[in-house]
Amino acid sequence: MNKSGQLGTKAESAVVKVLTPNGFPHCERRRLRGANDAGDLTGTPGICWSVKGGEMSRTASDLDVQRWLGELATQMGHAKADVGVLVVQRKGVGYDNAHRWWAIMPACQIVALSTVGISGGPATFPVRMLLGDAVTLLRAAGYGQPTAEDDVAIAEQMLPAGVEVLPPYHAGAA
């Protein structure tokens, strides 16, 4: 097995050690399935897991995470899973502390899961996201004030097909 495969095996095994005593007793590493990749772990019905460990994960960029989430979406289809979880090893957090690695899911999944409730009260644990995504979420919920781009988008929706909205004229602008 190559070094990348060894790191993957080690990271996947670390996540299995977290899941098995925490409600997923049948969780285990999945055998490779080639083009029909259904995630890295099995034995957790309805959930597809993609695990990233080693230096690549500890230094992952936003683009890496987006690419991995795209791959996870494909794997979810192959696994016929309702939920997908991307697990990414954090810098400075070793295999024995995999419970502290990042678990990344699309916001729509987090919303759906949070409405189910957690025994003892509402979900109050932190959810990490990019500031830009938080602003988009807040604006979609009606917070903030309209921007010039919003005004143009609204005007475009109200005009008949084929009519173009020009940007506002600003005196002194070149």
Side-chain angles (χ1 to χ4, degrees):
M1 182 182 296
N2 63 26
K3 186 175 181 179
S4 176
Q6 290 172 348
L7 287 173
T9 297
K10 193 170 181 180
E12 292 161 11
S13 296
V15 173
V16 168
K17 286 180 183 175
V18 172
L19 296 176
T20 52
N22 287 290
F24 300 96
H26 304 292
C27 182
E28 60 185 29
R29 293 184 55 248
R30 184 186 299 273
R31 295 176 197 261
L32 296 177
R33 291 178 48 178
N36 294 320
D37 187 359
D40 296 322
L41 308 178
T42 188
T44 61
I47 307 172
C48 182
W49 301 87
S50 180
V51 180
K52 304 295 181 186
E55 189 63 22
M56 168 191 66
S57 68
R58 293 189 295 263
T59 60
S61 69
D62 293 340
L63 289 176
D64 291 328
V65 171
Q66 286 298 325
R67 182 172 42 83
W68 294 336
L69 285 171
E71 293 168 1
L72 177 60
T74 300
Q75 294 168 355
M76 286 175 63
H78 294 154
K80 296 180 177 39
D82 303 315
V83 176
V85 183
L86 171 63
V87 180
V88 180
Q89 183 180 11
R90 293 174 54 196
K91 184 175 183 175
V93 183
Y95 296 98
D96 291 336
N97 289 302
H99 64 283
R100 294 183 51 234
W101 293 0
W102 298 125
I104 303 168
M105 295 181 268
C108 58
Q109 282 186 187
I110 294 171
V111 169
L113 292 170
S114 67
T115 60
V116 174
I118 297 174
S119 61
T124 59
F125 48 81
V127 175
R128 181 179 177 175
M129 69 179 76
L130 298 175
L131 175 59
D133 294 336
V135 169
T136 298
L137 188 61
L138 290 165
R139 293 296 315 284
Y143 293 93
Q145 297 179 359
T147 64
E149 290 83 13
D150 294 335
D151 294 340
V152 170
I154 291 168
E156 287 174 340
Q157 291 173 4
M158 295 171 52
L159 292 174
V163 176
E164 184 178 336
V165 177
L166 298 175
Y169 172 76
H170 298 286

